[in-house]
Structure formats: C-alpha cells, structure tokens
Amino acid sequence: MMARVDCLATVFVEDIPEQLEDGVLYVSRQCHVALHNCACGCGEEVSTPLVATEYDFVMEDEGASIWPSIGNHDFPCGSHYIIKRGRIHWAGKMSREQIEAGRAYDRLLKRGAQPKGLGAILAWFKRLWIKFIS
Ligand SMILES: [Zn+2]
C-alpha cells in the first residue's frame, strides 16, 4: 500500500524503534539520528545522521526541519524532498549532476573542506533550497 505523506509528526525517542510508522519522524538526540519511512510511501527507511557534517535539525513550534534535502536516490523510488517545519516539500528527482554535487559536498565536508570550493557548493545548495521553498 503506497501512501504518500505530506507532513511528518516529530517524535523524540531515546532508542531507535524497530518498526517505523509512516508520517512520523523519529528523532534520537542520544543516537544523533533521525529516522522516518520514505515520504513517498515505498516503505524504505530513511536514516539521517544529525551530526555537523551531515544534517542540520531544527525543531520549531510548527514542526521539524532537516537540511539539506532528503535525496533517496539509492532507493528504487528515487524520491527527493525537503522537510521544512514538519511538511514535505517535494523536490523532484535529482539529476545525476545534482547527486554528484551533493556527494562532492559531502566529501569536502568530511575532509575538512577548503573554504573556496566549499563556498561554491554551499551557494549551489542555497540556490536549490530557495528554489524549492519559495
Ligand atoms: Zn520512497
């Protein structure tokens, strides 16, 4: 049963639950991770490490935001979206270039980036963000 969700309720947990419910974002500050079932309804589990080099997590009254975007290009569904204040903003499939840029960004961060190259990629990500959110 495929049921796409358009918002995620945030639940703070200590331990990672074994079964995830659709439409729920599980956040474990202890384990520095957020988990949810892919918002497209395919049933794949999405794990987002909440560490400085991976994802930023912000909790507001309206709901949770995670940045950068969730790109499930390793799943058959290939879905791509942004979680902003508890809502799913669908971003369309990432192109090969976008995926590569994302990976380059990861590599740079993990290596302890050179400010110059990182700046360019960060600017690219900001543009992407603005495009999908506004
Ligand atoms: Zn999916």
Side-chain angles (χ1 to χ4, degrees):
M1 178 73 200
M2 303 271 283
R4 198 168 109 153
V5 300
D6 284 308
C7 47
L8 290 175
T10 306
V11 175
F12 288 94
V13 292
E14 287 195 4
D15 299 310
I16 308 303
E18 258 172 49
Q19 280 282 316
L20 306 186
E21 259 178 66
D22 283 353
V24 179
L25 178 72
Y26 298 87
V27 178
S28 171
R29 294 203 185 269
Q30 223 148 319
C31 304
H32 303 283
V33 73
L35 290 169
H36 67 283
N37 282 343
C38 178
C40 86
C42 68
E44 294 279 357
E45 244 174 59
V46 183
S47 159
T48 40
L50 303 180
V51 294
T53 52
E54 301 282 344
Y55 288 90
D56 276 334
F57 174 84
V58 180
M59 190 68 204
E60 293 170 282
D61 290 346
E62 305 95 319
S65 303
I66 287 182
W67 177 253
S69 63
I70 309 288
N72 295 331
H73 33 260
D74 292 330
F75 298 163
C77 69
S79 59
H80 177 212
Y81 47 88
I82 290 161
I83 302 171
K84 177 93 173 150
R85 297 201 176 105
R87 300 201 66 83
I88 305 292
H89 296 262
W90 295 92
K93 285 198 184 187
M94 279 178 130
S95 69
R96 172 102 338 240
E97 272 160 65
Q98 287 172 317
I99 293 167
E100 286 309 316
R103 288 190 177 144
Y105 172 81
D106 278 357
R107 281 195 297 273
L108 276 171
L109 279 181
K110 279 166 189 158
R111 202 192 296 147
Q114 299 296 316
K116 205 175 160 202
L118 184 66
I121 293 171
L122 269 175
W124 179 86
F125 259 89
K126 261 193 195 131
R127 275 201 305 279
L128 190 78
W129 170 257
I130 288 159
K131 195 170 136 208
F132 288 128
I133 291 303
S134 54

